[in-house]
Amino acid sequence: GDYPLELRRALDLLDYAGWRKRQPALRAQGRRVGLGIAGYLEAGGSVRPGEWATVKIDEHGHVEVLIGVSGSGQGHETVFAQVCAEYLGATFDDIRVRGGDTTLVPYGYGTGASRVAVNTGNAVAVAATAVKEKAVSVAAGLLECAPDDVRIEESRAFVVGAPARTIPLGQLARVALRERSLVEQGGPGLWATKFYAPPTVTWSSGVHAAVVEVDVETGRVAIVRYVIVHDCGRQLHPVIVDGQIVGGFAQGLGVVLGEHVVYGADGQLLTSTLMDYPLPRAADMPPLVMEHLHFTTDHNPLGVRGVGEGATGPPTAAIANAVADAFDGRLEIRSPVLTPDRVHALLREAGFAAPI
């Protein structure tokens, strides 16, 4: 990635120079406005040591993608169908993704550590490529041409430059069951199981920048503007990536707003219900300005990096930095939890607010 570019874009989108120019006038009006920045690297794609994927085409042309990981809202069924469609040449609607079942894939190494796109995504790509190579071999025989002249698009094979005559994938699958020439490619039939093991983790990166205003009388922190510049390499599904970034930010914001575990003097947990443990609500979310950079990695065929967790950590640091900046760095901020009560206590300690 280009870390200096990320910082420059974040500062431009925040209007950092403009806010710095306006700060003295705002201070003169008694308004405490501060700017905060937090850069980060996210190691994603934990090897563990990799993931399996199976791609198979039945005699009706239906494609199944079998994976070992389970989804919990990340869009596995959509994203891996897209990957399979790209590398196999099948239509998206012909593809079904199934996972989290040991009768389909005996073992999966888990959804977490921003690893699924890197591990399972590439396993699907490699398996789909293997199946396509087998389908191309069968199609070359039926179309009486060289394998290099065969194209597969929209679930049909044809000779390049002569798309009028096509053979559907279902027909190729039926012929492939008795095709002895496929023995050297893993055996007859249009299916393949592959294991992808990434050589190392991938590194996503980004910069968060915030403008906040602190009410000295109450300690309340208001987010005036918030910018996220992020690079996770190639985006398999931009809308899902946006959702991961917004959701990650919301988790980080929750800490600022008061998410923390509290125990009593007797060791009793005091924040055991959502009445006591505050989660961010829709009204707590500020408008976000987001920009994605696209520096693909050469550590895996898809060029993807992890995206699930990168946006969670920076909000606490960026907002804390902005609160400190609003008071010229004179607050002794020792915790990322910045509830009005805690902020007001910091203001009293630093002499900005009168004792209660």
Side-chain angles (χ1 to χ4, degrees):
D2 189 332
Y3 308 144
L5 176 60
E6 292 171 357
L7 177 58
R8 290 196 301 271
R9 290 302 302 145
L11 296 181
D12 288 344
L13 293 169
L14 190 72
D15 187 24
Y16 183 89
W19 280 105
R20 280 294 185 221
K21 290 179 181 178
R22 292 190 289 273
Q23 264 186 321
L26 293 170
R27 294 278 175 86
Q29 300 169 17
R31 298 178 61 185
R32 288 289 178 169
V33 173
L35 314 180
I37 303 168
Y40 62 96
L41 289 170
E42 176 197 359
S46 168
V47 291
R48 294 190 190 172
E51 284 294 339
W52 296 95
T54 295
V55 173
K56 58 182 181 180
I57 307 173
D58 69 16
E59 298 179 26
H60 303 287
H62 301 143
V63 182
E64 275 203 316
V65 177
L66 310 179
I67 58 177
V69 294
S70 299
S72 53
Q74 298 92 340
H76 291 178
E77 294 81 1
T78 300
V79 172
F80 298 137
Q82 287 181 280
V83 172
C84 181
E86 176 182 346
Y87 282 81
L88 178 59
T91 60
F92 178 85
D93 290 340
D94 288 339
I95 302 170
R96 180 189 183 193
V97 178
R98 303 170 66 191
D101 186 337
T102 54
T103 64
L104 304 175
V105 177
Y107 196 83
Y109 293 87
T111 299
S114 301
R115 67 183 300 275
V116 172
V118 175
N119 287 266
T120 302
N122 282 286
V124 171
V126 173
T129 298
V131 173
K132 183 176 183 178
E133 290 173 353
K134 296 172 77 173
V136 165
S137 296
V138 175
L142 297 176
L143 294 169
E144 299 180 330
C145 67
D148 288 345
D149 293 330
V150 175
R151 299 291 182 271
I152 298 179
E153 298 176 4
E154 299 295 321
S155 294
R156 292 180 174 273
F158 58 92
V159 178
V160 63
R165 182 188 176 192
T166 64
I167 302 176
L169 285 180
Q171 182 178 341
L172 294 179
R174 290 192 294 273
V175 174
L177 290 172
R178 292 175 172 78
E179 184 57 60
R180 290 186 57 84
S181 65
L182 295 181
V183 171
E184 296 181 358
Q185 293 177 260
L190 296 186
W191 61 79
T193 297
K194 296 293 181 179
F195 187 85
Y196 178 77
T200 182
V201 298
T202 62
W203 292 95
S204 298
S205 58
V207 173
H208 289 211
V211 178
V212 307
E213 182 169 3
V214 182
D215 187 325
V216 177
E217 293 185 359
T218 65
R220 182 178 179 274
V221 178
I223 300 175
V224 178
R225 187 170 178 82
Y226 200 95
V227 168
I228 299 174
V229 177
H230 182 79
D231 174 24
C232 62
R234 178 189 176 190
Q235 295 186 15
L236 298 179
H237 195 299
V239 175
I240 290 177
V241 170
D242 279 350
Q244 293 275 24
I245 297 297
V246 173
F249 169 81
Q251 286 190 308
L253 178 64
V255 176
V256 176
L257 297 177
E259 283 193 52
H260 64 299
V261 176
V262 179
Y263 290 92
D266 59 353
Q268 178 67 36
L269 179 63
L270 303 180
T271 51
S272 59
T273 74
L274 294 181
M275 291 293 290
D276 311 300
Y277 187 93
L279 294 177
R281 297 163 295 183
D284 297 320
M285 288 287 289
L288 300 178
V289 180
M290 291 194 296
E291 181 170 292
H292 297 284
L293 304 182
H294 305 273
F295 290 93
T296 58
T297 177
D298 57 4
H299 285 176
N300 59 73
L302 289 176
V304 297
R305 310 175 195 266
V307 71
E309 299 156 291
T312 302
T316 55
I319 295 171
N321 286 338
V323 171
D325 180 67
F327 297 91
D328 305 314
R330 291 166 55 189
L331 302 185
E332 292 290 335
I333 299 178
R334 297 175 292 272
S335 167
V337 179
L338 296 173
T339 57
D341 177 67
R342 289 197 174 194
V343 172
H344 200 267
L346 293 172
L347 296 178
R348 295 196 303 273
E349 289 176 11
F352 288 101
I356 297 178

